[in-house]
Each structure stands twice: as structure tokens, then as C-alpha cells.
Amino acid sequence: MKTHKYVSNSGLAFAEKREMDKLSRYAREGWHFESFARMGFSYKLVRGEPRELQYSIDHRANPDEEYFDMFRLAGWECVCSEYTIHIFAAPKGTTPIYTEKSSLIDRYTSEKKMLGKIALPALLVSILLMMLQGIIETGWLAVANATVMCLVLIVLVFTGLPYLSYTWKIGRLHSGSELKR
Amino acid sequence: MARNDSLETGELTDTSFYILLALTEERHGYLIMKFIEELTGGSFSIGPASMYTTIKKLAAADLIQLAEKSEDGKKTYLATEKGLELLHKDIARREAIVMHGKRLLQLKGEIGNENTQVRFQ
């Protein structure tokens, strides 16, 4: 019988709730999230008993004992920690990990800042390389420049798009009332 | 972009308010949650991420301080003088809001006076 399964991760930064709901559905069928795989593009699921679970993500740099304790005592077990990303699971009906707008805004703001540190330089470098590409007409230098530019653009997309997504999320929280209090 | 940091303006969010209230006595994270749930009859609860973030913010603003660790090694906190002062101020602020609301709605006859009973036919 298969004991592992890999399921693709369609983009945590953009559709967090949808991805967490996906993990819940798999848990209901007995496939439990164990860790990230393929450089974060997939989830590794392990066979187990079907359970009604809900999943949540939190971003926290340098989490301490107190952080994990607080979650555990509230019913949220940490199932996976990767760099600053922490995935928690709890039985259905447990109080959500965020219950207040301002702490959620804090989280999105710190993630956005971290992404910005990479995205903005990447943007500047991309522009620079594009201008260079215009000047260098042919030859190996043009090919080399184009290659580097592609790499930088990939970095830009992977950090820039989430950056914009967080900017939008923060804007929505400030104006709307997605969470009470 | 200026963030609306209510702690700076001297206002407390409901979450900060209840945490400070809980910390009028030395408590640690889990007991704070329990205390608030019992106090509000389960109608107000704080998630662990919001709790952790808010505790750190209150500590950084010197409204609560780390007390000695409890017997089971958990970090406990206690409201500071500054924190208690802010709590009193915020209670007064909220009382004023409620009073203004009640007074105005009473004038408009939309809610009854506290002393009169409303009878439904």
C-alpha cells in the first residue's frame, strides 16, 4: 500500500486558505501533511487515519519555546517548520490562530518587508540588465546578459508577486473588516 | 505609510484590553487565554498567533513585564504601572462611548431606560 504521496503546492502566498483547505481535505481521507518537498513546490503526505483537521500557516523568524507552547496549549500542533514558515494543525472547531486584525497586519507587513529586500533590488537589476541588453547587440556577451537577466526575472517574479499580494492583503485589512476587533 | 498603532495613541484594541486585564495578576499564556474565556463566558477568545504577537507588543511598550517563571518553567507576565494606568484610562474611554450611545438612543426612544421594563404583547 502506498505510504507517501506528493501533492503540488499551488502558491501559498496567494491562496493560503485554499491550500490549507486542501490539506484538510486530504487529512479527512487519511493523507496527512508531513513536510514540504521538491523545494517547496509539493506537499509530502503520509498515510494515516482519516481525521477532521484544520491547518494554519504562520510566518515567524526566530520562534522560541514560548511561541510553540502557546500554540500547542491552544490546540495547534506544529506539523512542519521550514525556515520562517510554520504549519500548524488542530481539530476542527479550534479557535483560529489569528483573531485580531492588527496582529495579522503585523505578520503580513513583516513578510512583505522580507520579500521587498529581495524584490526591489531584483527589480533594479532587471531594469539595468534590460538597458544593457539594448546596448549589447550580439555575441556571447548578449547571450550571457540575457541568461543572467532571465535568472533575475525569475527571482523578481517569485518575490515580487507575493510582495504585491501582501500589499493587497494589508490594504484590504486596513479598509475592510475581514476580522472583527 | 503610517501604521495605525493604537498603543501609541493610548487606545487599546479589545485583545490588548483583555490581556492587560488578565495580567492584573501574574499569569502565563495559556492561563491568560483561559481567564479571558471564563471572564467573557466564551464570547471572546484570542488565537495563539494574535496572543503571542500582542504579548510581545505590550512588553515592548512596557505595559507588561516578564515575571519570574512559574513552577512548570513557563514564562509569566504581569501588568506594569504604566499598563494599569492605560487600562484605567481605556475603561473610562469605553464607558464614555457606551454612555453617549445609550443617552442618544434613549432620547430617540429606541431603547428603554434601564429601570423601565419592556413588555411585549
Side-chain angles (χ1 to χ4, degrees), chain A residues 119-138 140-156:
Chain A
L120 292 174
L123 182 65
L124 294 174
V125 171
S126 304
I127 296 174
L128 209 68
L129 290 179
M130 276 191 249
M131 294 196 306
L132 268 182
Q133 193 70 9
I135 300 172
I136 305 169
E137 310 257 313
T138 50
W140 66 270
L141 201 58
V143 174
N145 192 54
T147 314
V148 175
M149 195 168 73
C150 280
L151 292 173
V152 176
L153 281 175
I154 290 173
V155 169
L156 180 63

Side-chain angles (χ1 to χ4, degrees), chain B residues 22 26-36:
Chain B
E26 235 175 78
R27 286 192 165 93
H28 66 74
Y30 182 59
L31 287 185
I32 299 175
M33 282 193 241
K34 287 268 121 207
F35 175 84
I36 293 171

Side-chain angles (χ1 to χ4, degrees), chain A residues 10-15 111-112 115-116 118-120 122-123 152-169:
Chain A
S10 355
L12 282 178
F14 310 111
E111 281 170 57
K112 184 181 126 170
L115 288 168
I118 304 174
L120 292 174
L123 182 65
V152 176
L153 281 175
I154 290 173
V155 169
L156 180 63
V157 164
F158 277 94
T159 53
L161 288 182
Y163 180 91
L164 292 175
S165 153
Y166 283 124
T167 309
W168 181 74
K169 279 183 183 172

Side-chain angles (χ1 to χ4, degrees), chain A residues 76-149:
Chain A
W76 290 92
E77 280 298 330
C78 184
V79 292
C80 174
S81 254
E82 198 112 341
Y83 304 111
T84 58
I85 299 177
H86 312 285
I87 308 279
F88 296 91
K92 283 246 152 92
T94 310
T95 302
I97 65 174
Y98 279 99
T99 46
E100 186 214 27
K101 248 205 283 195
S102 75
S103 46
L104 192 53
I105 291 178
D106 283 352
R107 179 198 138 189
Y108 289 156
T109 307
S110 81
E111 281 170 57
K112 184 181 126 170
K113 275 199 194 135
M114 258 174 30
L115 288 168
K117 283 193 188 138
I118 304 174
L120 292 174
L123 182 65
L124 294 174
V125 171
S126 304
I127 296 174
L128 209 68
L129 290 179
M130 276 191 249
M131 294 196 306
L132 268 182
Q133 193 70 9
I135 300 172
I136 305 169
E137 310 257 313
T138 50
W140 66 270
L141 201 58
V143 174
N145 192 54
T147 314
V148 175
M149 195 168 73

Side-chain angles (χ1 to χ4, degrees), chain A residues 66 70 73, chain B residues 15-40 44-46 51-52 54-55 58 64-65 75-79:
Chain A
E66 191 189 3
M70 210 166 274
L73 290 168
Chain B
T15 298
S16 299
F17 178 85
Y18 277 113
I19 292 178
L20 263 183
L21 209 57
L23 292 177
T24 49
E25 271 178 35
E26 235 175 78
R27 286 192 165 93
H28 66 74
Y30 182 59
L31 287 185
I32 299 175
M33 282 193 241
K34 287 268 121 207
F35 175 84
I36 293 171
E37 270 175 28
E38 273 166 44
L39 181 69
T40 62
F44 193 89
S45 55
I46 305 178
M51 172 78 80
Y52 183 83
T54 308
I55 286 182
L58 291 174
I64 64 177
Q65 65 195 0
K75 284 189 183 176
T76 59
Y77 296 91
L78 184 65

Side-chain angles (χ1 to χ4, degrees), chain A residues 14-122:
Chain A
F14 310 111
E16 232 177 71
K17 179 147 196 344
R18 198 175 61 207
E19 291 301 304
M20 295 300 104
D21 286 348
K22 191 199 290 192
L23 291 182
S24 282
R25 283 200 308 273
Y26 278 110
R28 195 176 301 143
E29 293 166 18
W31 289 103
H32 299 293
F33 170 71
E34 185 190 82
S35 62
F36 288 103
R38 300 186 194 146
M39 296 208 325
F41 285 101
S42 288
Y43 304 118
K44 180 177 176 194
L45 307 176
V46 177
R47 202 80 183 86
E49 288 300 310
R51 288 176 68 193
E52 286 290 329
L53 291 174
Q54 51 175 330
Y55 288 85
S56 280
I57 303 180
D58 195 28
H59 278 69
R60 193 77 48 170
N62 313 313
D64 50 16
E65 187 76 40
E66 191 189 3
Y67 173 78
F68 291 110
D69 273 346
M70 210 166 274
F71 277 75
R72 191 181 317 119
L73 290 168
W76 290 92
E77 280 298 330
C78 184
V79 292
C80 174
S81 254
E82 198 112 341
Y83 304 111
T84 58
I85 299 177
H86 312 285
I87 308 279
F88 296 91
K92 283 246 152 92
T94 310
T95 302
I97 65 174
Y98 279 99
T99 46
E100 186 214 27
K101 248 205 283 195
S102 75
S103 46
L104 192 53
I105 291 178
D106 283 352
R107 179 198 138 189
Y108 289 156
T109 307
S110 81
E111 281 170 57
K112 184 181 126 170
K113 275 199 194 135
M114 258 174 30
L115 288 168
K117 283 193 188 138
I118 304 174
L120 292 174

